[in-house]
Amino acid sequence: SEPRPPEQMVTLENEFVSVEFTSYGGGIRRVVLKKHRESVRDSDRVVLNRAVSVSNSVVSAPMGEVSGLPGIGPETAYTMRQDGSVMICEALNAEGIKLTKEYRLGSDYLIEGTFSVANQGRDAFKDARMQIAMGTASAMVPTDTFAMPYFVWGDGKTTESVDPSSFE
């Protein structure tokens, strides 16, 4: 296999957040909350999705990294382009399956992600179980203890909350 091209990083920001995207995995490497300090005595800003140490190894995945699609996974280098406050990340596998991710930065803290899969190949698309990384869910600052995270998803009409006890 060919070596991956060099990692590209692009930052989108507004007055509240600075969002750093990476071409490795086509997702959000980290988010800096511009108006929030880690502590009263510390000038460092709060960083979300910081790398965490688990069993002596560093774990870090960009938010929005997809696995489970054939030929598109954590090792994939995406093409990235910026259109105003929208970051578009695209990957195309050898069979013509194209994954497009659009991340929209709002006027506050909200980042909206829209993912679409298109089959541009000749063969029918076989079922795949697509998984999306939601970041490390580590404590916002190293000294914090934090409650178990939860996940809410929706299809534009209804939403459903996933209880933490169902996480593996």
Side-chain angles (χ1 to χ4, degrees):
S1 68
E2 296 178 15
R4 271 204 297 194
E7 182 179 25
Q8 292 186 309
M9 291 197 284
V10 180
T11 301
L12 290 184
E13 54 188 316
N14 60 24
E15 67 176 293
F16 298 97
V17 293
S18 177
V19 184
E20 186 178 285
F21 293 85
T22 172
S23 60
Y24 285 2
I28 298 169
R29 172 176 286 240
R30 62 188 209 131
V31 178
V32 178
L33 303 183
K34 293 179 171 183
K35 295 180 181 268
H36 297 277
R37 296 183 305 177
E38 287 197 351
S39 72
V40 173
R41 294 179 295 280
D42 193 342
S43 63
D44 287 348
R45 299 295 180 245
V46 170
V47 177
L48 305 180
N49 202 41
R50 65 172 77 236
V52 293
S53 181
V54 177
S55 304
N56 294 328
S57 65
V58 176
V59 177
S60 177
M63 290 180 262
E65 178 183 272
V66 167
S67 55
L69 288 176
I72 298 175
E75 71 294 334
T76 300
Y78 285 69
T79 59
M80 295 195 305
R81 69 181 190 274
Q82 182 180 344
D83 182 5
S85 61
V86 180
M87 179 62 60
I88 301 161
C89 304
E90 290 181 330
L92 182 67
N93 75 5
E95 289 77 42
I97 302 299
K98 181 179 183 181
L99 173 61
T100 303
K101 306 174 188 180
E102 291 187 12
Y103 299 94
R104 283 180 174 72
L105 186 58
S107 58
D108 50 21
Y109 294 94
L110 185 67
I111 304 164
E112 181 182 305
T114 304
F115 291 31
S116 59
V117 179
N119 185 357
Q120 300 177 339
R122 292 186 318 220
D123 298 328
F125 180 55
K126 306 280 191 294
D127 284 342
R129 187 183 170 102
M130 192 167 97
Q131 298 171 326
I132 302 172
M134 299 312 297
T136 58
S138 63
M140 288 203 310
V141 298
T143 55
D144 268 357
T145 57
F146 65 104
M148 181 67 82
Y150 63 94
F151 187 70
V152 177
W153 68 273
D155 62 4
K157 299 182 188 74
T158 60
T159 59
E160 183 175 327
S161 180
V162 179
D163 186 83
S165 63
S166 66
F167 291 158
E168 293 178 5

